[in-house]
C-alpha cells in the first residue's frame, strides 16, 4: 500500500511540476533526470532492509540462459563503465560486502533489493511517461530513454551478480 501511495504522489507531483518547465531539450532532459533520481531516492528510503524471498514477480534464482541474454545485450560492458566511473566501488562499500563466503547471502539479498527497487522505478517511470506523452512528449521521451541505463541495465546487472553468487554457493 505504501508503494502505491508513493507512486501516486510521485506521479501527481510530476504531472503538476511538468507544467512549469520551459520547453526545449535541456530542461526536459533535466526534469526527466530529476524524476528518475527522485524515484530512486524514494526507493532507497522506503524499501525494507530485509526482504522475504517471495517479494513480487522477480524471482530470486537466476538461470544460465537468462545470463546469456543479458551478455548479448552488453550488460558486462555496462558494468565496465560503472567500474570506470567508480560507481561499483561506492555500491560495494555501501553494501558492506567483505568478499568472504559468509557474506554471500547478504550480497545476494542486496542485489535482489536493488533489483526490486529499480523495477519499481522503471514501472513508475513508464506510468508517469504515459500521460505526459500527450502534453510533453519531450519529457516522456527522456523518461523512457533514461529508463534504459538507470533501471533496465541495473536490473540485468543485479541478476548477473546474483547468478555468480549462486554459483559460489553450490
Amino acid at each position: 500500500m505504501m508503494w502505491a501511495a508513493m507512486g501516486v504522489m510521485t506521479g501527481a507531483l510530476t504531472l503538476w511540476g511538468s507544467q512549469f518547465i520551459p520547453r526545449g531539450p535541456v530542461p526536459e532532459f533535466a526534469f526527466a533526470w530529476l524524476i528518475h533520481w527522485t524515484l530512486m531516492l524514494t526507493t532507497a528510503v522506503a524499501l525494507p532492509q530485509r526482504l522475504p524471498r517471495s517479494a513480487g514477480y522477480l524471482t530470486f534464482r537466476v538461470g544460465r540462459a537468462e545470463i546469456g541474454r543479458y551478455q548479448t545485450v552488453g550488460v558486462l560492458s555496462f558494468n565496465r563503465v560503472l567500474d570506470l566511473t567508480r560507481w561499483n566501488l561506492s555500491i560495494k562499500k555501501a553494501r558492506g560486502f567483505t568478499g568472504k563466503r559468509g557474506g554471500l547471502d547478504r550480497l545476494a539479498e542486496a542485489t535482489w533489493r536493488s533489483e526490486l527497487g529499480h523495477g519499481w522505478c522503471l514501472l513508475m517511470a513508464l506510468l508517469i511517461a504515459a500521460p505526459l506523452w500527450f502534453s510533453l512528449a519531450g519529457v516522456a521521451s527522456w523518461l523512457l530513454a533514461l529508463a534504459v541505463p538507470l533501471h533496465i541495465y541495473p536490473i540485468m546487472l543485479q541478476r548477473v551478480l546474483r547468478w555468480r553468487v549462486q554459483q559460489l554457493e553450490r
Side-chain angles (χ1 to χ4, degrees):
M1 185 66 170
M2 179 178 71
W3 288 102
M6 287 179 2
V8 168
M9 188 170 77
T10 304
L13 287 172
T14 300
L15 293 174
W16 175 77
S18 66
Q19 301 172 45
F20 303 108
I21 64 169
R23 300 296 182 249
V26 173
E28 290 171 346
F29 169 81
F31 188 71
W33 183 262
L34 178 67
I35 291 168
H36 278 289
W37 284 98
T38 302
L39 287 169
M40 287 189 278
L41 177 65
T42 304
T43 302
V45 170
L47 199 61
Q49 292 298 314
R50 303 291 295 176
L51 296 171
R53 288 193 182 256
S54 61
Y57 295 105
L58 302 171
T59 59
F60 191 77
R61 303 296 294 176
V62 180
R64 174 70 185 127
E66 187 178 341
I67 299 306
R69 289 190 298 270
Y70 297 157
Q71 290 172 339
T72 301
V73 296
V75 76
L76 298 180
S77 297
F78 178 75
N79 189 44
R80 283 192 285 281
V81 169
L82 293 179
D83 282 340
L84 289 172
T85 61
R86 302 182 63 80
W87 179 260
N88 283 344
L89 183 62
S90 65
I91 294 299
K92 183 179 177 182
K93 287 179 184 176
R95 286 181 175 161
F97 181 60
T98 61
K100 298 189 176 168
R101 192 172 285 275
L104 288 176
D105 281 343
R106 185 172 177 209
L107 176 62
E109 187 169 297
T111 63
W112 198 41
R113 183 177 185 273
S114 178
E115 181 183 343
L116 289 173
H118 279 290
W120 182 81
C121 290
L122 175 62
L123 175 64
M124 290 309 306
L126 294 173
L127 292 174
I128 291 169
L132 285 177
W133 191 261
F134 301 104
S135 58
L136 293 166
V139 174
S141 298
W142 279 115
L143 272 170
L144 297 174
L146 286 171
V148 174
L150 294 178
H151 305 302
I152 294 173
Y153 271 82
I155 288 170
M156 291 187 291
L157 191 56
Q158 297 310 310
R159 293 188 68 78
V160 168
L161 181 56
R162 195 161 59 253
W163 181 79
R164 289 177 179 168
V165 169
Q166 286 172 202
Q167 301 313 300
L168 292 172
E169 290 177 337
R170 289 182 179 184

